Amino acid sequence: MFLDEIHVTFYIDTAAAILSLGVFVLCGRGIIKDEPLSKLFRSLSIVCFCLSLLDAATYARKNHEFPGALPIALGLQTLLELTLNFVIILWMVFVNYRIYHSRDVIKRDFVKYLIPLVILMGIDIINVFTGIIFYYDEHVMYHTTAFTIYYYVVRYAYLFGGAIQIAVSKKSHRDLKFFDVWGFIIPSLAGGLINSFTDYSGMCLGFAIGLCLVYAGIINELSFMDHQTGYYNRYYLRYLKRDIDSETFSPKSGIIYRLMDPDDMKAFAGLLSPILPKKCEVVRYNEDTVVMLAEISKRGALHMMSEDVESAVEQYNRDNQDKTMSVTMDEVYKKKKETSKGFYEMFIRRIG
């Protein structure tokens, strides 16, 4: 005999709450070094946890008609809708910060993204008095209106909008390669479909599974990071070689930076990072060597970058005469008939 939808949904929401809370606890251990990104992800986890509790409470009240049940049902459902919209808002903020790594961009441009969702949240409040999205009858049974479909379309548009943003940005931001946005979208969409076409609620579990998959991608990325410089470590080269073999990345030039004193590496990374071109890969090859591969074919452009680095090091030494930095730079260029794979192998041999 099958369990009724209230019991099944309770178990599903319990699993979702445990997953969301688990991700929140793990993330709180300082694994994500970018503090704003960590705060956004933890906020997303705790709101999903609250969403699971609200969903469980909403389903637990089903089929229970008692004095005062109507305002309780309406209040729970309204809080559920508001929290769901808030999850989507946080998701969009998280996606945009992951792309631009800038609070200023979020503050400056994100208002235009928020407007439709803020309107939806306003409609949630208006619905309490009008029932334009959902309402409860005299037997405290839940009903939706024809307007509900347009309401949900906006929500799903936001979820897919985040996926499209990441897909477009990956073409110019190679640091997003470990961010599998579909790992969040597909479970979330599956959970929404369960809600729409069955008597059960899989929405919260879909969000929770999506958060776990996004977190797994973050951990995977961090395993290839050098935490002193913020660049990739040497183990990342096998992924880079795979991209070169598939022509996802086609390096045409590169620079090898060698430091006299490895203790200067963190300071040097602070000088180098603002000068780096787009579509380049930077790897800390060993304790005193950083290598950069770029899709730059013009010698002049790469040479200008070397001059900018030299100027930055000279300025640093003038400001820190008691602890000067010594850096050598070796520019390497791809030959006309040389393949990207051949150039990469030659470049690695050049490092020694």
Side-chain angles (χ1 to χ4, degrees):
M1 179 173 155
F2 292 104
L3 292 171
D4 61 58
E5 70 270 15
I6 297 176
H7 290 97
V8 172
T9 297
F10 176 78
Y11 299 139
I12 291 173
D13 285 334
T14 299
I18 291 171
L19 283 176
S20 300
L21 193 59
V23 170
F24 174 81
V25 171
L26 289 173
C27 188
R29 295 180 177 180
I31 293 175
I32 302 177
K33 302 301 179 183
D34 188 325
E35 187 59 26
L37 191 69
S38 177
K39 285 181 178 179
L40 281 170
F41 195 73
R42 281 181 288 164
S43 298
L44 195 54
S45 302
I46 204 66
V47 173
C48 284
F49 172 77
C50 295
L51 186 70
S52 303
L53 299 183
L54 281 170
D55 193 56
T58 301
Y59 267 77
R61 191 227 47 84
K62 271 190 172 184
N63 301 329
H64 291 82
E65 187 178 348
F66 52 87
L70 181 59
I72 291 173
L74 187 59
L76 285 173
Q77 190 68 42
T78 301
L79 283 174
L80 185 69
E81 300 295 339
L82 286 167
T83 306
L84 182 54
N85 285 331
F86 194 51
V87 168
I88 297 173
I89 287 174
L90 281 175
W91 168 248
M92 288 298 294
V93 174
F94 178 79
V95 166
N96 277 265
Y97 185 82
R98 187 67 178 82
I99 293 171
Y100 300 110
H101 298 283
S102 172
R103 294 181 181 181
D104 293 334
V105 170
I106 301 299
K107 292 176 181 177
R108 186 180 66 246
D109 297 336
F110 201 69
V111 173
K112 61 185 178 183
Y113 297 112
L114 289 181
I115 291 174
L117 276 176
V118 170
I119 292 173
L120 288 186
M121 296 181 84
I123 292 173
D124 291 333
I125 303 299
I126 295 171
N127 180 81
V128 174
F129 306 100
T130 62
I132 59 173
I133 307 172
F134 64 86
Y135 63 92
Y136 286 86
D137 61 22
E138 65 274 13
H139 300 294
V140 202
M141 299 298 293
Y142 176 78
H143 301 277
T144 59
T145 68
F147 184 72
T148 306
I149 188 170
Y150 303 106
Y151 181 88
Y152 287 154
V153 163
V154 176
R155 277 184 177 169
Y156 285 118
Y158 265 82
L159 285 176
F160 281 103
I164 292 169
Q165 270 190 287
I166 294 295
V168 171
S169 298
K170 277 188 175 184
K171 295 180 180 180
S172 56
H173 296 75
R174 288 187 53 78
D175 63 323
L176 294 172
K177 67 179 300 178
F178 290 101
F179 188 15
D180 182 14
V181 68
W182 292 107
F184 182 83
I185 298 298
I186 292 175
S188 300
L189 180 60
L193 291 175
I194 289 172
N195 274 58
S196 300
F197 297 103
T198 73
D199 293 329
Y200 309 108
S201 177
M203 169 187 63
C204 299
L205 185 58
F207 281 132
I209 292 172
L211 285 176
C212 288
L213 293 175
V214 171
Y215 183 74
I218 291 172
I219 297 302
N220 187 34
E221 180 178 12
L222 290 175
S223 68
F224 294 101
M225 298 296 291
D226 173 64
H227 298 298
Q228 188 178 21
T229 61
Y231 301 143
Y232 288 117
N233 58 35
R234 189 168 179 171
Y235 299 107
Y236 172 72
L237 289 174
R238 68 172 180 263
Y239 278 88
L240 182 58
K241 188 175 185 301
R242 186 184 305 169
D243 286 347
I244 292 171
D245 289 342
S246 64
E247 297 185 354
T248 305
F249 179 65
S250 302
K252 298 178 177 63
S253 58
I255 303 178
I256 303 167
Y257 303 96
R258 300 184 195 276
L259 278 69
M260 185 71 69
D261 186 352
D263 291 338
D264 292 331
M265 186 60 76
K266 185 175 182 179
F268 175 69
L271 301 177
L272 178 63
S273 295
I275 302 171
L276 291 171
K278 291 182 179 180
K279 284 196 169 183
C280 74
E281 293 282 3
V282 186
V283 174
R284 185 175 183 179
Y285 194 77
N286 54 40
E287 63 175 9
D288 64 355
T289 304
V290 170
V291 298
M292 183 208 72
L293 284 163
E295 295 182 328
I296 297 175
S297 57
K298 296 180 180 179
R299 291 175 178 260
L302 199 70
H303 190 64
M304 285 177 63
M305 181 184 166
S306 295
E307 290 178 341
D308 289 340
V309 174
E310 287 178 359
S311 298
V313 171
E314 288 173 2
Q315 183 62 49
Y316 175 88
N317 289 338
R318 284 194 293 270
D319 296 338
N320 301 271
Q321 295 183 8
D322 57 327
K323 183 67 171 67
T324 59
M325 180 190 302
S326 178
V327 183
T328 61
M329 287 172 277
D330 183 10
E331 297 178 16
V332 185
Y333 300 93
K334 180 177 176 290
K335 298 176 182 177
K336 287 185 178 181
K337 294 183 179 181
E338 195 172 24
T339 63
S340 295
K341 182 179 178 181
F343 171 71
Y344 170 78
E345 292 172 350
M346 180 273 290
F347 184 81
I348 295 299
R349 288 195 300 270
R350 184 83 165 257
I351 300 170

